[in-house]
Amino acid sequence: MGKKRSKSKTTPKANLQAKTSKKEAIPMPSFSWHQDKMFWIISAIFLGITMSWYFMSPATWDEDCPVRYFNTLQAFEKPSHFVSMWNRPLWVVIFALPVQLGKFMIPLLMSGFAILSAWFCYRAAQLKKLNYAIIAVPFLLMQPFFFGVAKDAMTEPLAACIIAGGVYFLLKKRYLVFAILGSLLPLARTELAVFTAFWGLILLLEKQWKYIPLLGSGVILWSLAAWAFSGDVMYVLNETVFKEVENNRYGNMEWYTYIRRYFYVLGPVIFYFFILGFVKPLKKFDLFVYGQFVMGIILYTLFTTTINVGHSAGFLRNLVPLSPLAALIAVYGFNFWVKALQNKNIQVLLFSTIVFGLVALMFRNKLWKHQTIMDEFHPLIMSFLGVIMLITLLLFFIRKRPLKLNAAYLGIIGATLLSTAFTLIEEHPNKNMNSRREVVKTTAYVL
C-alpha cells in the first residue's frame, strides 16, 4: 500500500497571506455584499438628510423651483405645460401626478432619482472591476452642488440620472435601454441634445447601428406633442435654435469661466480625488466617461462664451448633469491613491502637492450665491484639504505594514465623512436665503 498523503496544515488565512504580496493591497471583492450594505446605509442617511434639509430650508435653490412646481401642478388643466421648453417635458411628465399629493413629493422623488444615480455609478464602477466601488456613492451624493439641487424642482439631477444610467447600461451592453435613455436627454435638459451625437458615436463604435435612430425619438415625440398642444409644428426649433440668438442677455463669459470655478461644484475632498483620477487613470482610457465629461465642459463653455442659444448665464448648477462622470473619475483617483500609498509611489505626493498648490492659489476664497468667487478667504476649504494631505503624508511616511481590507474600509469611511461634513456645512438649510427672498417670503407662497 502506498503512503497516505499528509493533509495540509495551512489555514485559509495562511493561504491568503501566502498569495498576497507584502507590497500589494488586499482588494475589496468587486461585488462584496459588504459594499451593498454600505450603499443602502449611505442612501438611507442621504434621504433622511435631504428631507430634513427640505423642511428646514426657508427657500429653494433657485426661483425657478416654485414656478416649475405650479406649472406642473396645473399641467392637466393647461396641457401646454407638458411640452413647455422652460418647464422641460420630462420633469413635468414625471411629476404631474405625484405633485397632486403635495409638494413634499418633489424632494422625496428627487432624492430617489439622486439615489438611483448613485446606484448606477456604484454598479458601473463594479462592472469596470474597480476596487472600492462603493466610494462612488458619496462621491456623487455629497458633491455640494449635486446635494444642493437634489431635493428641489430642478431638471439637472434628472439629466444626471440619465447619464449615470447610460454608463451603466452601456457596460451591461443593454444597447436598447441605452438608446432610449439617450433619447430622453433633450427632454430633461435641452442643451444635452448635443450629447445624443456622442451617444450615437458610442453605438457606432459598438457596432449597434440599428439603435442609433432611437436617439432622436425623444425630440420627435416632443415635437409631435407640442404641435398638438400649440399648433406650431416647429415649436421645439422655434423655442430653442431660432429664439433670440443675436445677443446673450446675460453677457458672454470668459473661456475659463467653468474651469475656474468647477472646484466649488465638487468641494475640496472630492476635487482632490477627481484630479488624481483625471491625471492618473488606473485603467484604459474610458471614452464614455472621460470623453463625455470633457465634451460637456467644452459644450457649456461654448454656450456661455460664444453660442447665444438658450442665453446661458454661466450658472454652475448647469454642470450638475456631469456629476456622475466626475464621481466615477474620482473613484479612479481613490483607487490610485490607495495603490500609490500601498506601494509608496512618490507620484501620489507629487500630485497631492500640485492639487494643494492649485487650490491654495485659485480656489481658496468663498463663492457668493453659488456663482461668484469673492476676495474673502474661506478657511473651511483649506482645512479639509489639509486633513487629506496630512493623512496622505502619514500613510506614506509612517505606515510600515501593507494596507489590509479593514484599512481600505477606513479609507472609504474617512473620505465619506469628510466629503459629507464639508457639504453639510457649506450647503446648510439657510444657504439659499438672501434679502430679496426674505421680502418674497413675507408676501408670497414659497415652495
Side-chain angles (χ1 to χ4, degrees), residues 134-247:
I134 190 62
I135 199 67
V137 179
F139 278 176
L140 174 63
L141 297 179
M142 287 304 151
Q143 293 180 29
F145 273 62
F146 186 89
F147 174 84
V149 302
K151 67 184 183 304
D152 286 328
M154 307 290 281
T155 57
E156 288 86 357
L158 286 184
C161 189
I162 293 171
I163 290 176
V167 177
Y168 171 73
F169 285 108
L170 177 62
L171 291 170
K172 292 285 287 185
K173 299 188 182 301
R174 300 282 299 277
Y175 299 111
L176 175 60
V177 181
F178 175 81
I180 292 173
L181 283 176
S183 73
L184 297 178
L185 277 173
L187 279 64
R189 293 292 304 175
T190 313
E191 72 277 5
L192 295 183
V194 180
F195 272 42
T196 58
F198 189 84
W199 288 45
L201 173 63
I202 296 297
L203 288 173
L204 189 64
L205 294 174
E206 294 288 326
K207 298 181 181 181
Q208 299 295 322
W209 307 281
K210 62 183 178 181
Y211 295 116
I212 293 177
L214 283 175
L215 292 170
S217 60
V219 173
I220 292 173
L221 290 174
W222 181 13
S223 299
L224 291 174
W227 183 17
F229 291 136
S230 68
D232 183 3
V233 68
M234 299 284 288
Y235 174 85
V236 175
L237 288 175
N238 289 333
E239 289 295 312
T240 54
V241 179
F242 301 142
K243 187 175 182 180
E244 302 177 33
V245 297
E246 290 80 15
N247 296 298

Side-chain angles (χ1 to χ4, degrees), residues 120 419 430:
F120 283 139
S419 57
N430 292 323

Side-chain angles (χ1 to χ4, degrees), residues 196-327:
T196 58
F198 189 84
W199 288 45
L201 173 63
I202 296 297
L203 288 173
L204 189 64
L205 294 174
E206 294 288 326
K207 298 181 181 181
Q208 299 295 322
W209 307 281
K210 62 183 178 181
Y211 295 116
I212 293 177
L214 283 175
L215 292 170
S217 60
V219 173
I220 292 173
L221 290 174
W222 181 13
S223 299
L224 291 174
W227 183 17
F229 291 136
S230 68
D232 183 3
V233 68
M234 299 284 288
Y235 174 85
V236 175
L237 288 175
N238 289 333
E239 289 295 312
T240 54
V241 179
F242 301 142
K243 187 175 182 180
E244 302 177 33
V245 297
E246 290 80 15
N247 296 298
N248 189 329
R249 71 172 69 97
Y250 299 107
N252 296 122
M253 306 290 183
E254 300 86 354
W255 67 267
Y256 53 83
T257 181
Y258 283 121
I259 297 175
R260 175 72 176 85
R261 298 173 297 152
Y262 189 64
F263 165 86
Y264 296 95
V265 177
L266 300 180
V269 179
I270 299 173
F271 180 79
Y272 172 81
F273 293 106
F274 169 81
I275 293 295
L276 293 185
F278 208 90
V279 299
K280 195 70 177 178
L282 296 181
K283 303 290 183 181
K284 183 179 178 182
F285 179 78
D286 189 328
L287 178 62
F288 194 68
V289 173
Y290 286 85
Q292 194 171 200
F293 180 85
V294 173
M295 175 186 165
I297 295 293
I298 293 173
L299 173 67
Y300 281 109
T301 299
L302 288 175
F303 271 116
T304 195
T305 59
T306 307
I307 303 172
N308 295 320
V309 174
H311 293 262
S312 172
F315 294 137
L316 284 176
R317 64 174 171 80
N318 292 338
L319 299 180
V320 166
L322 305 180
S323 296
L325 306 174

Side-chain angles (χ1 to χ4, degrees), residues 403-419:
L403 291 176
K404 295 184 179 180
L405 186 60
N406 291 338
Y409 275 119
L410 289 176
I412 291 171
I413 293 170
T416 299
L417 291 177
L418 281 174
S419 57

Side-chain angles (χ1 to χ4, degrees), residues 70-91:
F70 284 117
N71 287 348
T72 305
L73 190 64
Q74 299 168 359
F76 292 108
E77 299 172 13
K78 191 177 180 181
S80 60
H81 284 315
F82 279 105
V83 297
S84 167
M85 194 280 292
W86 189 91
N87 292 329
R88 302 297 194 274
L90 184 62
W91 205 94

Side-chain angles (χ1 to χ4, degrees), residues 139 267-273 276 337 341 352 355-356 381-395 414-415 418-419:
F139 278 176
V269 179
I270 299 173
F271 180 79
Y272 172 81
F273 293 106
L276 293 185
W337 183 73
L341 289 175
S352 297
V355 174
F356 189 83
I381 290 173
M382 297 308 299
S383 297
F384 274 82
L385 191 58
V387 170
I388 298 175
M389 289 294 295
L390 180 60
I391 293 172
T392 301
L393 291 171
L394 288 175
L395 289 175
L418 281 174
S419 57

Side-chain angles (χ1 to χ4, degrees), residues 49-61 148 151-152 427-433 441 446-447:
I49 292 173
T50 53
M51 292 303 294
S52 300
W53 254 235
Y54 168 76
F55 287 111
M56 291 190 293
S57 298
T60 54
W61 174 280
K151 67 184 183 304
D152 286 328
E427 295 295 321
H428 54 81
N430 292 323
K431 178 72 174 184
N432 300 314
M433 284 302 290
K441 182 181 175 183
V446 179
L447 172 63

